[in-house]
Amino acid sequence: MWRDLRQWYIKRLVCVCGGSGKMWMFAVGFMVHLIFFMSVFDIYFRTPLSHGMTPHLHHQHPAAHRLVLIVADGLRADAFYDYTNHTTRAPFLRSVIETQGTWGVSHTRVPTESRPGHVAIIAGFYEDPSAIAKGWKENPVEFDSVFNESRHTWCWGSPDILPMFAAGAERGHIETFMYKAEEEDFASSDASKLDKWVFEHVREFFKEASEDVRLLEQIRKDRNIFFLHLLGLDTNGHAHKPHSEEYLKNIEIVDEGVEKIVKLFEDFFKDQKTAYIFTSDHGMTDWGSHGAGDPSETETPVVAWGAGLALPKDPSQFKDKMIYDARVEKWGLSHVRRHDLHQADIAPLMASIISIPIPVNNVGILHVEYLGTSDEYKSEALFANARQMLAQYQQKRAQKEEETLPIFYWPYTLLTPDRELESLATIRNHLKRGHYEDANSESLHLISMTQHGMDYYHNYDRLALSIHIALGFLGWIFLMICHLLRDHSAVLRMAGGTIEGRRVWRSSVLMAVVLLVWAITNLTKLIGQQHPWQHYLYLMTPVGLWVLVHQRCAPLRVAWLLVSSFNMVWEVAIRILFIFIGIEILVMAFFIRPMLSLGLLCIGLWPVIMYSMQGAVEHSMRLVWIGACILLASFTYMPVVGKEPYYPMVEIAGLTAFTLGGIVIYWCGGDGGLPRHIPSVVYVQGMMVVASVYLVHSTAYSITQKEGLPYINQLSAWTLLALSFILPLFGSRNVMGRLLSVTASFLCPFLLLCIRHEGFFYIALSIAMFLWLLLEFYLAGNNVQIAMLKFATWGRESSKGGERVLEWSDVRRAYFFLFFTVLAFFGTGNIASVNSFDPSFVYCFITVFSPFIMGSLLLFKIIIPFLLVTCFFHAICTLIEIPTRALFYMFLVMSDFMALHFFFLIRTEGSWLDIGTSLSHYVISMSTTLFLIVLLFIARFVTTFNIEKSAKEGDCVLPRVSIGRPHRD
């Protein structure tokens, strides 16, 4: 078996690459696209953090000896401040707002996944873009935090959050106390037990401290921090949604726990020198996710009270108006002044309260309104904030000056060294004279200038690199077009022979000079400056591609001469225009899903417009095809999957698929009985579909009853997932039988990962793919009976297929493949966006929080429809002998043209949905290029490889189809 598998792999590799002579083209293409793929992370998603700065501390006696930071993960501002019917679920913290402290709304800068929210609070900077693929548990670079600057920090909470802050502590002064990761179970009946665990272990810690002299001495020192991470609300919100009784009851539990913790600290220290800050890292949508940028996600509560913090103020005493919206009245807090801030602003506030250096990578601004100290203390603290920000700017400027040649360096002119010294001297002069308001104003102006300067130097190379990558895309596209015209078209044949040894077109001397100057300029910049090694690839790859275009562009000239000589300019121009329009429809579909419906309408009318069909069979086929396209088009108008699970739809979809599979088998059976070309394994897979439906129903019921995920269900789900990879390999090599087996096999794990109407989309897509196969087979076969398809086998893949020249109909087939690939991704919503994450997707497999496993399962769900489309595309290419390699090149040209659009539409600011979606668009368009060969190999493997060495008796090889007739499309 393994020897057959190895021989199969070698044969397919040679076949796809067109022999060893063409292998270099695939290798070059793969490397070029890998470089383009990597470039986006160096251009748009580089880490903004600098190193080597000196911490700045204001020389004032600390306003508080210790700080208690309490973060209620996933707590929405509106849920916390809610005062419906003059009742609150957080009576203690509300009394603090009205009598002891300062309150407001913390505006998070999404992305709002757990990790960046806590980093913004504790370290003072927002999501490190280079960590966009790092998940919750890892930060790709070391960073400073208030924990690191403190004398000692004790942390209690989640094993997903605490370790990243302890990892950078070289002095070992950050201690963590964590529950087991298995406790984070989304199927748990009461996730508030996680918060109770924290409160209980804090009490045990102080009980132990009272008996341990060394520990007691440690915690009584100043500049200590105590961090309580409460994960219960986030877990309950994901599992039961924010308006559930579990979530709201959890708020009460948190409030009671905070009250007891405050009493514990006050009774233990008895010095009134403890400061408290209560906040949240992010909120949550009504359907239990976070990342879309909705106010329910980006607005979190912040309450600060205790030593060094301001007391409540009456809004009427101030000339400037309080931050006000309709909710202030609804919250019943219009009588207490509200102070909003950004999430990163909490870090300098905490550092200023206990008089420790502000974290060196902080970008937050100190809000002196929260400080209940003297004006001098406030101004000194804000001045320390300004010097800390200025140090970052100076480091970025020095680094850019050092690595850039003077001829290529353009400094930031709004904040020069002279202006820095002038601004610092002005602030010091104001402080010396006691003009604290003027000092604060000048400090805030300096902070604003440093922020703009840091952005300038951070994005210094972005424009040049972006232009080079864009030119690289265009160079590769033109190179592919030249290759297609030379090796896979009739252009040279019609021109009277090949161009080898002939100067059909004298190359432009001007173009050669431009390329030479371009190469010399780039090499000068790279060698004379300190650029990372990746920049060599980004700057020189486009040059190399255009050199190849310069050498191989003769077929373009020949094609133009032929088109003009046959008076076909307008006809070719119109065809190319339609291709561009089709690609633009796909680009717009990434932003406006209903554009896919427009594309499906055009595809549905394609056989009606381009072919004249006669007879009942032809008309029926045409109507069914149009109906299938309309059915698929309806999904783009349905709600995006992920907001609210509704498992009965999944169950109905599974049973519908089972019924349709029976109908297909009956159609293939002819006179009845077990069809010889339908493998018996298909019947086993049918039972697997029914088993998947039962597992979805059983698991959903168990979760609803708060009984958790039954072990037998979990084991069965993973078993079905494993069998879905293996069972298709036992089927026959008959085309219809194997495709039916693959479709049923992919359906089982897909159903287990569905929460709403995705199952119906899979069914509609499968129907459309079968009809596409039938139409292509019929139209290419010059009225060959479709019934022959029942007996067609994969047989030997024709090696002569690559010798057939391309026709315009092949361009259409490549576009259809690209269109259905995009449709597979976005038919039920932007399932590639991280905002679509919901634990309910994977409840049949796992409920305990595990980002890697959950993410892998969701990725597998995304790939399944894509792989299904690839399998049918491979079948079409095989049956009607389309030159697969040439279609692959055309697919590259189209997808690269789309990728070029998305490259310039990538966003690095805004919500996680905005950032993640813009990046996912580029990744999808590039991934379909980078991994198309891999997916084709997988598709060929699951459709053609058979564990049984020979085909079953009764299989026959499909007769050669006539494809030489002209096509109208």
Side-chain angles (χ1 to χ4, degrees):
M1 170 182 154
W2 296 111
R3 184 178 60 184
D4 293 341
L5 181 60
R6 185 177 66 252
Q7 293 175 350
W8 180 93
Y9 174 80
I10 295 174
K11 181 178 69 174
R12 300 299 176 189
L13 183 65
V14 173
C15 179
V16 170
C17 296
S20 58
K22 300 296 182 182
M23 180 71 78
W24 72 271
M25 199 70 182
F26 283 88
V28 170
F30 186 85
M31 290 303 300
V32 165
H33 286 85
L34 186 60
I35 291 170
F36 292 165
F37 183 79
M38 290 179 355
S39 69
V40 71
F41 296 98
D42 279 318
I43 296 174
Y44 290 102
F45 296 100
R46 292 187 302 114
T47 176
L49 304 187
S50 299
H51 299 279
M53 293 81 70
T54 303
H56 289 80
L57 174 67
H58 67 94
H59 304 288
Q60 297 286 327
H61 186 72
H65 286 174
R66 68 200 63 86
L67 172 73
V68 180
L69 173 63
I70 305 171
V71 177
D73 202 311
L75 176 59
R76 293 165 47 148
D78 58 353
F80 174 74
Y81 291 125
D82 183 50
Y83 198 57
T84 306
N85 299 325
H86 299 284
T87 58
T88 177
R89 293 186 177 271
F92 171 74
L93 287 169
R94 186 175 183 84
S95 68
V96 167
I97 292 172
E98 295 179 327
T99 62
Q100 302 179 45
T102 303
W103 75 286
V105 172
S106 170
H107 297 271
T108 70
R109 182 192 292 181
V110 283
T112 57
E113 290 193 52
S114 297
R115 188 183 65 77
H118 290 92
V119 171
I121 295 170
I122 299 167
F125 66 89
Y126 297 101
E127 166 69 290
D128 182 351
S130 66
I132 195 167
K134 295 288 185 178
W136 290 267
K137 295 186 177 181
E138 180 183 354
N139 203 72
V141 294
E142 295 297 331
F143 61 91
D144 195 15
S145 70
V146 292
F147 293 173
N148 194 50
E149 297 293 348
S150 67
R151 187 186 302 275
H152 208 103
T153 296
W154 291 271
C155 310
W156 294 266
S158 168
D160 300 313
I161 301 300
L162 305 189
M164 73 176 121
F165 295 104
E170 299 177 359
R171 294 182 284 128
H173 67 293
I174 302 177
E175 298 185 37
T176 59
F177 305 90
M178 302 171 289
Y179 40 76
K180 295 181 180 179
E182 292 75 16
E183 297 291 328
E184 301 176 23
D185 192 344
F186 292 106
S188 172
S189 59
D190 183 17
S192 62
K193 64 182 180 181
L194 303 177
D195 301 340
K196 295 175 182 177
W197 185 98
V198 172
F199 295 136
E200 181 62 31
H201 279 72
V202 172
R203 285 192 290 269
E204 291 179 1
F205 172 80
F206 278 93
K207 182 179 179 180
E208 178 186 347
S210 63
E211 302 171 356
D212 188 331
V213 177
R214 182 175 174 274
L215 180 58
L216 182 62
E217 182 183 356
Q218 268 189 330
I219 64 175
R220 285 197 176 276
K221 293 180 179 179
D222 61 359
R223 296 182 172 90
N224 286 334
I225 296 178
F226 301 86
F227 174 43
L228 283 65
H229 175 241
L230 310 176
L231 188 62
L233 282 164
D234 185 70
T235 306
N236 273 325
H238 283 308
H240 307 292
K241 313 313 172 192
H243 294 297
S244 65
E245 185 61 30
E246 291 84 357
Y247 185 88
L248 298 177
K249 180 65 176 177
N250 205 155
I251 297 178
E252 298 178 7
I253 293 172
V254 167
D255 183 73
E256 294 171 2
V258 171
E259 182 179 13
K260 294 177 181 178
I261 290 298
V262 171
K263 187 177 186 302
L264 174 65
F265 273 84
E266 295 302 320
D267 292 344
F268 188 89
F269 292 103
K270 296 184 175 63
D271 59 1
Q272 303 296 312
K273 286 294 184 180
T274 306
Y276 305 89
I277 292 181
F278 176 86
T279 188
S280 173
D281 66 326
H282 59 75
M284 193 170 292
T285 61
D286 291 339
W287 55 92
S289 69
H290 45 83
D294 188 81
S296 63
E297 308 163 67
T298 62
E299 293 184 350
T300 61
V302 57
V303 183
W305 73 100
L309 290 161
L311 295 173
K313 298 180 180 65
D314 186 350
S316 62
Q317 298 177 359
F318 296 86
K319 295 181 181 179
D320 58 321
K321 293 183 178 180
M322 176 184 69
I323 296 175
Y324 183 88
D325 57 38
R327 293 174 302 172
V328 174
E329 290 286 350
K330 182 180 179 182
W331 294 342
L333 293 171
S334 59
H335 61 289
V336 185
R337 185 170 174 81
R338 166 181 166 183
H339 296 282
D340 282 14
L341 44 66
H342 292 97
Q343 193 172 59
D345 300 337
I346 298 176
L349 175 62
M350 293 191 294
S352 299
I353 293 171
I354 57 176
S355 193
I356 61 175
I358 297 174
V360 294
N361 299 119
N362 166 74
V363 296
I365 303 174
L366 173 63
H367 285 245
V368 295
E369 301 90 353
Y370 274 82
L371 293 177
T373 59
S374 65
D375 290 341
E376 181 184 3
Y377 190 101
K378 295 177 183 178
S379 296
E380 288 284 358
L382 188 58
F383 184 37
N385 188 188
R387 286 182 287 135
Q388 170 264 322
M389 297 278 282
L390 181 60
Q392 289 188 85
Y393 167 75
Q394 291 171 335
Q395 183 68 17
K396 284 182 176 291
R397 182 181 60 195
Q399 181 181 356
K400 187 56 61 179
E401 288 176 348
E402 181 182 353
E403 67 184 21
T404 308
L405 291 174
I407 191 175
F408 297 115
Y409 177 66
W410 291 275
Y412 181 66
T413 57
L414 297 181
L415 189 57
T416 61
D418 291 339
R419 293 191 181 186
E420 294 171 16
L421 295 175
E422 180 183 348
S423 181
L424 292 174
T426 302
I427 297 172
R428 290 191 176 98
N429 188 42
H430 287 317
L431 290 173
K432 184 177 180 179
R433 296 183 179 183
H435 299 165
Y436 300 119
E437 288 293 332
D438 294 335
N440 292 347
S441 177
E442 187 65 28
S443 293
L444 290 173
H445 178 69
L446 179 58
I447 289 174
S448 176
M449 296 299 294
T450 58
Q451 288 176 330
H452 288 96
M454 285 189 288
D455 290 340
Y456 174 82
Y457 284 114
H458 179 66
N459 300 320
Y460 188 85
D461 296 319
R462 177 177 293 184
L463 179 61
L465 291 176
S466 298
I467 292 175
H468 277 80
I469 295 301
L471 291 173
F473 268 112
L474 293 175
W476 174 257
I477 290 172
F478 275 101
L479 184 63
M480 285 295 93
I481 293 175
C482 293
H483 180 75
L484 283 169
L485 291 175
R486 187 189 66 182
D487 295 343
H488 300 284
S489 73
V491 168
L492 300 182
R493 192 178 305 171
M494 295 174 64
T498 67
I499 62 171
E500 304 298 335
R502 301 174 55 192
R503 300 185 66 86
V504 180
W505 180 24
R506 181 177 295 275
S507 300
S508 170
V509 176
L510 178 61
M511 184 176 180
V513 172
V514 169
L515 289 174
L516 181 61
V517 172
W518 185 15
I520 293 175
T521 303
N522 285 354
L523 285 175
T524 302
K525 289 179 62 178
L526 291 168
I527 297 174
Q529 300 178 179
Q530 298 179 14
H531 281 281
W533 64 269
Q534 304 98 301
H535 286 201
Y536 285 81
L537 297 176
Y538 305 151
L539 294 180
M540 298 310 298
T541 297
V543 178
L545 288 173
W546 278 102
V547 168
L548 291 176
V549 172
H550 178 61
Q551 294 176 345
R552 299 166 180 262
C553 60
L556 281 173
R557 175 64 174 171
V558 173
W560 171 252
L561 292 175
L562 288 174
V563 168
S564 57
S565 62
F566 284 100
N567 296 320
M568 298 173 58
V569 175
W570 284 108
E571 179 183 350
V572 173
I574 291 173
R575 290 178 182 270
I576 294 176
L577 177 63
F578 275 113
I579 295 173
F580 276 110
I581 292 174
I583 294 175
E584 290 301 320
I585 288 176
L586 285 180
V587 171
M588 289 187 289
F590 276 69
F591 303 95
I592 308 172
R593 287 177 58 215
M595 291 301 298
L596 290 171
S597 299
L598 176 63
L600 283 167
L601 179 62
C602 298
I603 290 175
L605 295 176
W606 147 67
V608 179
I609 297 173
M610 304 307 299
Y611 294 93
S612 59
M613 297 184 178
Q614 304 295 329
V617 175
E618 291 83 351
H619 285 296
S620 299
M621 187 187 309
R622 182 180 354 185
L623 291 176
V624 173
W625 171 250
I626 294 174
C629 291
I630 293 174
L631 178 62
L632 270 178
S634 65
F635 284 93
T636 64
Y637 291 95
M638 295 183 182
V640 174
V641 171
K643 293 189 175 182
E644 190 66 35
Y646 189 66
Y647 294 104
M649 294 185 71
V650 182
E651 299 164 21
I652 296 173
L655 296 177
T656 302
F658 179 79
T659 304
L660 291 175
I663 294 174
V664 172
I665 291 176
Y666 176 79
W667 174 77
C668 292
D671 297 329
L674 178 66
R676 290 180 296 175
H677 51 280
I678 298 296
S680 57
V681 71
V682 172
Y683 299 90
V684 177
Q685 291 169 322
M687 295 299 102
M688 289 172 56
V689 172
V690 176
S692 299
V693 171
Y694 174 77
L695 281 179
V696 170
H697 174 79
S698 175
T699 302
Y701 177 80
S702 180
I703 298 293
T704 303
Q705 298 299 313
K706 298 182 174 60
E707 297 175 357
L709 172 61
Y711 177 75
I712 185 64
N713 287 29
Q714 186 178 28
L715 180 62
S716 301
W718 285 104
T719 301
L720 289 175
L721 178 63
L723 289 175
S724 66
F725 289 99
I726 300 173
L727 287 182
L729 306 182
F730 286 91
S732 73
R733 298 173 64 236
N734 165 264
V735 171
M736 294 299 291
R738 179 56 71 91
L739 288 176
L740 186 62
S741 176
V742 169
T743 303
S745 189
F746 289 163
L747 177 62
C748 293
F750 192 79
L751 286 175
L752 294 175
L753 293 167
C754 289
I755 63 172
R756 204 167 178 85
H757 61 268
E758 310 102 291
F760 288 106
F761 174 76
Y762 183 91
I763 295 172
L765 184 64
S766 301
I767 293 172
M769 291 299 97
F770 274 106
L771 289 171
W772 183 28
L773 173 65
L774 293 176
L775 275 171
E776 293 288 3
F777 184 75
Y778 177 83
L779 296 175
N782 198 13
N783 295 329
V784 172
Q785 293 294 322
I786 297 179
M788 289 296 297
L789 194 57
K790 294 194 300 182
F791 306 102
T793 65
W794 302 96
R796 288 187 177 181
E797 194 161 341
S798 176
S799 60
K800 298 180 180 180
E803 297 177 358
R804 177 172 74 82
V805 298
L806 288 174
E807 303 172 353
W808 282 108
S809 60
D810 296 327
V811 179
R812 188 257 308 155
R813 293 182 182 106
Y815 176 77
F816 276 19
F817 181 34
L818 180 62
F819 183 91
F820 284 120
T821 297
V822 174
L823 180 67
F825 271 106
F826 296 105
T828 57
N830 185 13
I831 59 176
S833 168
V834 295
N835 185 54
S836 65
F837 169 76
D838 190 311
S840 53
F841 279 109
V842 296
Y843 274 169
C844 289
F845 294 92
I846 186 173
T847 56
V848 176
F849 182 66
S850 176
F852 178 77
I853 297 177
M854 290 178 169
S856 299
L857 289 170
L858 289 176
L859 180 62
F860 180 62
K861 179 187 177 183
I862 293 172
I863 290 176
I864 286 175
F866 190 7
L867 192 55
L868 179 71
V869 172
T870 307
C871 288
F872 278 90
F873 178 70
H874 165 57
I876 291 171
C877 293
T878 302
L879 290 177
I880 60 179
E881 296 184 348
I882 300 175
T884 308
R885 190 170 64 253
L887 282 188
F888 171 70
Y889 292 144
M890 284 191 292
F891 186 88
L892 283 180
V893 171
M894 295 179 186
S895 60
D896 285 345
F897 190 74
M898 290 176 58
L900 185 59
H901 281 72
F902 298 130
F903 179 80
F904 287 103
L905 295 175
I906 290 176
R907 299 184 56 179
T908 57
E909 295 181 355
S911 72
W912 177 269
L913 182 63
D914 295 333
I915 296 172
T917 300
S918 67
L919 179 61
S920 68
H921 291 169
Y922 181 76
V923 170
I924 290 170
S925 58
M926 290 299 294
S927 296
T928 54
T929 300
L930 281 173
F931 302 110
L932 181 61
I933 296 178
V934 177
L935 287 170
L936 281 173
F937 268 110
I938 296 174
R940 294 183 180 201
F941 180 75
V942 299
T943 53
T944 62
F945 183 77
N946 200 322
I947 291 181
E948 299 177 13
K949 190 170 183 179
S950 59
K952 293 183 179 180
E953 184 181 355
D955 286 345
C956 62
V957 178
L958 179 71
R960 181 178 296 274
V961 181
S962 172
I963 57 175
R965 64 185 182 86
H967 290 266
R968 295 186 57 187
D969 62 342

